[in-house]
Amino acid sequence: MRRPLVAGNWKMHGTRTSVAELIKGLRQLALPTGVDVAVLPPCLYINQVIQGLDGKALAVGAQNCAVEPMQGALTGEIAASQLSDAGCTLVLVGHSERRQILGESDGVISRKFAAAQSCGLVPVLCVGETREQREAGKTLEVVGRQLGTVIEDLGVGAFSRAVVAYEPVWAIGTGLTASPEQAQEVHAAIRAQLAAENAEVARGVRLLYGGSVKAANAVELFGMPDIDGGLIGGASLNADEFGAICRAAGN
Ligand code: PGA
């Protein structure tokens, strides 16, 4: 059995004051015991969140890391080794906002994935198609290529210490959610692509769904056989809503 994971991606949201409020709300949550829960604040607030959540069974991660694993001359970036030093245990790589707005390529994302793993962080590889790609019937091809680059570059074994998040771009922050069946189809394809290389790795890897997940749709999505939890954007900024989503993963 794969243990569900729910991770809250705060994106570029927060101030010291609003982060303190959110920490307070998170501390009060009754979290299910059978679910791994994580939050991914902006880097500036990682220390505040780690200190504020001390003693609470909640992991903290980052939304991005540098292509180079170790500290050095790379202005404006943060190394996976530094995230690990700060107390992070996981990091997103290849979120669609970074692919689209910042032009991150599959090759760059592979390097970040490797950098994260080399510092003991669990990379959460984000994949997903745009609305145009879905309408053109290219969803599985696009997702297959995004996943395939990392498999080719690092080998399927890398996925024994990683998580994959399927996030259809058209469902992110739009209020449109993939139906449980649409999401399951892509999750099954991702697992099959990994299984073609190594069945054991495929069976063990957690595949999260992301894109307008709320407490109201989480139970149905998490009920699908290949959906092992969620990557939550907007709804993770509200502690009570986030807590309800975490409990849905425990059902
Ligand atoms: P959303 O974002 O839940 O606000 O749609 C999800 C994400 O981008 O990770």
Side-chain angles (χ1 to χ4, degrees):
M1 260 304 266
R2 294 178 294 271
R3 190 178 159 88
L5 167 65
V6 177
N9 172 14
W10 294 2
K11 308 196 180 187
M12 197 170 64
H13 291 289
T15 61
R16 280 188 297 169
T17 308
S18 72
V19 167
E21 278 297 304
L22 196 42
I23 290 170
K24 210 163 114 196
L26 291 170
R27 288 201 68 90
Q28 285 163 1
L29 290 180
L31 293 171
T33 48
V35 178
D36 289 335
V37 179
V39 290
L40 316 169
C43 276
L44 263 182
Y45 303 115
I46 283 173
N47 280 326
Q48 187 186 351
V49 173
I50 288 181
Q51 282 170 16
L53 292 176
D54 188 35
K56 187 86 182 164
L58 227 148
V60 179
Q63 301 166 17
N64 177 48
C65 65
V67 290
E68 294 295 339
M70 306 311 286
Q71 59 174 301
L74 190 38
T75 303
E77 289 293 276
I78 296 177
S81 61
Q82 295 173 309
L83 295 174
S84 169
D85 178 52
C88 290
T89 53
L90 71 168
V91 60
L92 298 184
V93 295
H95 190 281
S96 65
E97 286 150 13
R98 300 194 61 89
R99 290 180 188 265
Q100 295 205 309
I101 301 170
L102 302 174
E104 282 192 7
S105 65
D106 288 331
V108 158
I109 291 160
S110 268
R111 288 179 66 195
K112 293 185 174 192
F113 188 113
Q117 282 193 329
S118 75
C119 297
L121 299 174
V122 173
V124 180
L125 173 70
C126 304
V127 298
E129 81 289 3
T130 63
R131 185 171 56 83
E132 293 72 26
Q133 290 165 335
R134 174 162 282 267
E135 284 169 0
K138 294 202 156 75
T139 298
L140 298 184
E141 179 189 323
V142 168
V143 170
R145 190 175 60 236
Q146 291 168 339
L147 178 67
T149 305
V150 181
I151 300 176
E152 265 167 49
D153 291 351
L154 308 178
V156 71
F159 287 87
S160 61
R161 293 171 292 126
V163 172
V164 181
Y166 168 57
E167 299 201 303
V169 178
W170 49 272
I172 294 180
T174 57
L176 296 173
T177 316
S179 68
E181 294 73 24
Q182 279 174 324
Q184 167 59 27
E185 183 195 12
V186 181
H187 282 234
I190 291 170
R191 207 178 298 284
Q193 187 174 350
L194 293 166
E197 309 276 336
N198 185 320
E200 198 186 323
V201 169
R203 257 197 310 277
V205 70
R206 290 183 290 187
L207 308 181
L208 312 184
Y209 169 78
S212 299
V213 177
K214 305 182 255 320
N217 57 27
V219 173
E220 259 196 316
L221 285 160
F222 298 163
M224 303 310 279
D226 287 297
I227 300 184
D228 307 309
L231 182 55
I232 320 301
S236 73
L237 297 171
N238 178 314
D240 290 332
E241 181 80 9
F242 185 62
I245 295 169
C246 294
R247 286 190 292 277
N251 287 336

